[in-house]
Amino acid sequence: MHPPSRQDYISINFAGQGSGSYNNSKQWRRQSCWRKWKQLSRLQRSLILILLFICGIASYPAVTEQLRGLTDGDPETDSNSVFPHVLPEAVKQDQPPLPEPTSQRKLSNRRGPPVLQNRLQKKENASNTVVEDKASDNKKEGEEEEVIRRGPEGPKDGENKEGSPANQKVQLSIQSVANWREAVQEAFRHAWKGYKDFAWGHDELRPLSKSYSEWFGLGLTLIDSLDTMWILGLKEEFEEAKTWVATELTFNKNVDVNLFESTIRILGGLLSTYHLTGDTLFLDKAKDIGSRLMPAFNTPSKIPYSDVNIGKGTAHPPRWTSDSTVAEVTSIQLEFRELSRLTQEPQYQAAVAEVMKQVHKLNGKLDGLVPMFINTNNGQFTHQGIYTLGARADSYYEYLLKQWIQGGKKENELLEDYLQAIEGVKNNLLQKSSPNGLTFVGEVSHGQFSPKMDHLVCFLPGTLALGAYNGLPADHMDLAKQLMETCYQMYIQMETGLSPEIVHFNMHQGSTRDIEVKLADRHNLLRPETVESLFYLYRFTKDQKYREWGWKILQNFNKYTKVSSGGYTSINNVRDPDYPSPRDKMESFFLGETLKYLYLLFSDDPNLISLDQ
């Protein structure tokens, strides 16, 4: 016989309108559930609440993701996008993003150039008083934007099949790069049109006033542009310029010229053109100007004066000092050495080799880093204690490496000085910015570090890469890539997408942006250093992103510096896209270097100016 059962349960009776009927009304259910809940112990109720809370937390992400998908829609259904997974919303046509405060912009983790997506549309919409034919430029952007977003990796093994998406991207990229080369040619033609119309035979174009300015009175822009025209295949323009050189160019003038500037722009331009064409007209002219520059070396120390009168055969320092800048006296060697090799006349190489020999043994260096000035009387460094890779010292380091390569890698003193200097950069000038950790090269003044970096320093990524390619330590290439990123950020973190002449990097914690620009430093002179380094980095790594970066820089030159009547102009304010304040001057190096390196960057022919010869 079973014992009576214990009544430790709850008995619930369902009393409806009819006998045995089931009442499913909401009011009844609320009362019944509440009655059940009240009869549970406090511990049971607590356990149930905790369990429900945990379930809610676990299911929240999945629910919200599903809701977001319902509201945003499927990007694959967007028929206006060629590559919907890669192309950011911010650059789709007719979908301008909301403006974002500059100080709040952060690095994007999308593929392709960082910190670029929101800026692109802003720059497309910005007005520009000096730019012509924006509609055609924007059309090209719309046609090519999808391609430049595809990222640097390229097709992976097994994906490059006929008709596959990867292969289509490669084909589109090939076509786009061809378009980019044509865009460089068109930019050159536009600049040349301004020079030909308003400044033919003179040194520099003033595109806004449709006039010219003279520096030496030697057709500086024309000579500086000769090799660029040949490389770009602009034969008609080249023949016009060649005729002027043959019939109009004379160096028998009573005029003072700067030794360094006339060497790199005139002597260098003529020697390069001779190598490309084989036409002895250019070698004869090179020998003429080279011999007229030699009086600069007639100093007590053999350190050359800064200025030469090429008609009188006399030379002198600047009126205010007997110093020359270190960069100027150590950045003429490539041209003079080559002139000796071609003419079999040793005096040119002997003069510049003596300068390097003296600088090699001088005291006053900081781990291979040199001061900015050197005295032409006693041959000693002056204004010691200031070390920079910017103005007045920059190309000393570049020419150390290039002379070593030019001489067949046999001149050990040049290599030793270069390697020691790079270690000096690492130990004394290299820092990282805040908040994004950009690697940059600062300056040291009497033991105090300054986070100041000139745009001129952007020669360094290309030089480091060239050294690594020629057998120097592999970590030079790693540093080159880091600094290349920094130089590109100096462009895209500006509202016009163009770099200022000088930037200062933030190093203190809590900074909201890495780069600051003082009012006096906001000008852009159409300089070539960054695009030259992009050319080297692409040649050695084949990383597509370097081409994409160069393309964006060219687009921004077209948007903010192109003058409708012909030519391009330097600007005063890269932070103001509405009025960048044009300077009314087109530097000769824009044609002689900037556009040349952009074209070489976009060239698919590694033998077009081979870096192995």
Side-chain angles (χ1 to χ4, degrees):
M1 185 175 178
H2 297 286
S5 60
R6 295 177 56 189
Q7 300 214 356
D8 53 357
Y9 56 89
I10 300 172
S11 176
I12 302 176
N13 294 321
F14 298 93
Q17 292 178 352
S19 176
S21 65
Y22 175 64
N23 188 339
N24 194 31
S25 69
K26 292 182 179 179
Q27 180 179 0
W28 183 88
R29 275 181 287 153
R30 282 197 297 267
Q31 292 174 350
S32 174
C33 291
W34 176 248
R35 194 178 299 113
K36 286 182 181 181
W37 178 257
K38 293 293 289 183
Q39 290 176 350
L40 293 175
S41 69
R42 181 175 297 174
L43 178 61
Q44 289 172 320
R45 289 199 296 264
S46 299
L47 290 173
I48 291 171
L49 288 173
I50 292 171
L51 188 61
L52 288 172
F53 179 75
I54 294 173
C55 291
I57 292 295
S59 63
Y60 178 75
V63 174
T64 54
E65 186 65 30
Q66 187 172 3
L67 290 174
R68 187 180 297 114
L70 290 172
T71 57
D72 290 351
D74 188 354
E76 293 183 3
T77 63
D78 186 351
S79 60
N80 294 325
S81 175
V82 177
F83 302 122
H85 292 295
V86 180
L87 181 64
E89 290 291 331
V91 296
K92 290 181 182 176
Q93 295 296 323
D94 302 319
Q95 295 185 26
L98 292 174
E100 186 179 4
T102 303
S103 61
Q104 295 177 2
R105 292 192 180 112
K106 296 182 179 179
L107 289 174
S108 168
N109 56 11
R110 295 176 187 260
R111 297 160 76 183
V115 196
L116 199 53
Q117 290 83 12
N118 288 334
R119 292 187 182 278
L120 290 174
Q121 193 68 39
K122 178 176 180 181
K123 286 182 284 191
E124 287 169 7
N125 295 336
S127 62
N128 177 14
T129 60
V130 300
V131 179
E132 181 191 42
D133 299 333
K134 280 188 179 179
S136 61
D137 292 343
N138 289 339
K139 180 180 178 182
K140 289 181 181 179
E141 287 180 34
E143 293 169 351
E144 296 157 358
E145 197 69 58
E146 295 86 357
V147 178
I148 68 169
R149 290 291 177 211
R150 67 181 180 83
E153 296 87 358
K156 296 180 180 178
D157 292 341
E159 292 182 353
N160 191 16
K161 296 180 180 180
E162 189 70 30
S164 69
N167 192 56
Q168 290 173 9
K169 289 183 184 180
V170 171
Q171 294 301 323
L172 280 169
S173 177
I174 291 172
Q175 181 58 49
S176 291
V177 173
N179 291 340
W180 298 353
R181 288 194 296 273
E182 291 177 6
V184 177
Q185 291 171 322
E186 180 56 36
F188 187 97
R189 288 191 185 99
H190 185 80
W192 190 251
K193 176 184 182 299
Y195 178 75
K196 183 179 177 181
D197 289 348
F198 309 119
W200 184 254
H202 298 284
D203 282 344
E204 293 169 328
L205 169 67
R206 297 181 62 195
L208 293 176
S209 56
K210 300 180 181 179
S211 60
Y212 59 86
S213 61
E214 294 287 37
W215 193 1
F216 309 143
L218 298 174
L220 204 57
T221 294
L222 188 149
I223 298 174
D224 211 0
S225 305
L226 286 167
D227 60 339
T228 303
M229 286 184 274
W230 185 269
I231 291 169
L232 270 59
L234 304 177
K235 296 300 191 290
E236 180 180 339
E237 292 83 353
F238 177 83
E239 289 300 326
E240 291 176 337
K242 175 185 171 182
T243 299
W244 184 89
V245 171
T247 60
E248 301 291 334
L249 178 61
T250 176
F251 299 122
N252 188 22
K253 287 187 173 183
N254 180 19
V255 60
D256 280 359
V257 302
N258 178 272
L259 171 65
F260 165 71
E261 296 290 354
S262 56
T263 296
I264 65 170
R265 302 193 199 208
I266 299 176
L267 178 57
L270 292 168
L271 289 172
S272 296
T273 308
Y274 168 69
H275 275 291
L276 292 168
T277 65
D279 192 327
T280 56
L281 165 68
F282 302 106
L283 179 58
D284 292 341
K285 293 291 185 180
K287 182 178 177 181
D288 188 7
I289 185 64
S291 63
R292 291 174 182 272
L293 293 174
M294 287 298 289
F297 297 91
N298 296 333
T299 69
S301 66
K302 304 302 181 183
I303 301 297
Y305 290 132
S306 62
D307 296 286
V308 187
N309 188 301
I310 56 175
K312 294 181 177 179
T314 59
H316 59 87
R319 295 186 186 91
W320 58 89
T321 180
S322 59
D323 292 345
S324 290
T325 67
V326 171
E328 290 190 356
V329 303
T330 58
S331 302
I332 53 179
Q333 278 68 17
L334 291 174
E335 292 82 358
F336 276 87
R337 285 158 54 115
E338 185 62 11
L339 186 59
S340 278
R341 190 183 75 84
L342 293 171
T343 62
Q344 295 299 299
E345 297 178 11
Q347 66 268 26
Y348 307 112
Q349 177 162 346
V352 295
E354 178 64 24
V355 176
M356 298 308 299
K357 180 180 178 180
Q358 291 199 40
V359 172
H360 171 74
K361 63 186 181 182
L362 278 181
N363 294 321
K365 298 178 185 176
L366 174 66
D367 298 338
L369 303 176
V370 294
M372 295 189 293
F373 297 97
I374 188 169
N375 189 270
T376 55
N377 292 323
N378 59 29
Q380 299 296 310
F381 289 132
T382 62
H383 301 84
Q384 296 189 33
I386 302 176
Y387 303 95
T388 175
L389 261 68
R392 300 188 177 91
D394 51 343
S395 46
Y396 161 73
Y397 306 100
E398 176 187 4
Y399 269 50
L400 283 174
L401 176 71
K402 291 181 178 179
Q403 287 178 81
W404 176 70
I405 296 172
Q406 182 191 43
K409 305 179 185 178
K410 299 174 182 178
E411 298 158 284
N412 290 330
E413 283 187 356
L414 296 170
L415 178 61
E416 291 169 8
D417 287 349
Y418 175 74
L419 292 174
Q420 186 181 9
I422 298 305
E423 290 305 307
V425 170
K426 293 178 183 177
N427 295 333
N428 299 282
L429 304 183
L430 214 60
Q431 292 288 349
K432 287 188 179 292
S433 67
S434 178
N436 292 302
L438 298 175
T439 301
F440 70 93
V441 178
E443 299 180 355
V444 167
S445 178
H446 305 289
Q448 296 297 312
F449 180 82
S450 169
K452 170 181 174 286
M453 179 169 161
D454 295 1
H455 182 274
L456 289 168
V457 181
C458 289
F459 83 90
L460 187 57
T463 300
L464 287 166
L466 181 63
Y469 182 74
N470 281 277
L472 300 189
D475 68 334
H476 286 202
M477 182 64 80
D478 298 332
L479 181 56
K481 293 176 181 178
Q482 295 173 36
L483 292 173
M484 192 74 264
E485 168 73 27
T486 300
C487 289
Y488 183 57
Q489 291 294 328
M490 287 166 60
Y491 280 76
I492 60 170
Q493 290 197 23
M494 301 301 112
E495 285 75 0
T496 59
L498 295 173
S499 173
E501 182 76 353
I502 300 170
V503 300
H504 286 77
F505 288 89
N506 283 318
M507 295 176 61
H508 52 275
Q509 297 298 320
S511 300
T512 57
R513 61 182 294 145
D514 295 82
I515 298 173
E516 300 291 346
V517 188
K518 297 181 179 180
L519 283 173
D521 301 333
R522 295 185 176 187
H523 48 290
N524 179 287
L525 304 182
L526 314 175
R527 285 197 184 277
E529 288 78 19
T530 292
V531 294
E532 180 183 6
S533 286
L534 288 172
F535 160 60
Y536 282 118
L537 266 292
Y538 175 72
R539 275 284 180 95
F540 299 142
T541 69
K542 299 302 180 185
D543 193 330
Q544 185 73 13
K545 72 181 180 183
Y546 298 123
R547 284 176 152 183
E548 296 166 0
W549 294 359
W551 172 239
K552 295 313 301 179
I553 290 172
L554 176 60
Q555 286 180 302
N556 293 326
F557 278 136
N558 279 329
K559 285 184 180 181
Y560 296 106
T561 72
K562 187 177 181 181
V563 180
S564 61
S565 56
Y568 290 74
T569 179
S570 303
I571 58 176
N572 276 318
N573 192 353
V574 298
R575 301 297 305 273
D576 188 349
D578 295 324
Y579 187 68
S581 184
R583 283 191 159 197
D584 194 21
K585 183 177 182 180
M586 184 175 75
E587 300 279 357
S588 76
F589 51 66
F590 180 66
L591 297 178
E593 297 183 70
T594 305
L595 293 180
K596 175 167 62 185
Y597 289 121
L598 282 168
Y599 188 83
L600 291 172
L601 171 64
F602 301 147
S603 172
D604 291 318
D605 182 5
N607 293 317
L608 181 62
I609 314 301
S610 170
L611 297 178
D612 294 315
Q613 297 177 4

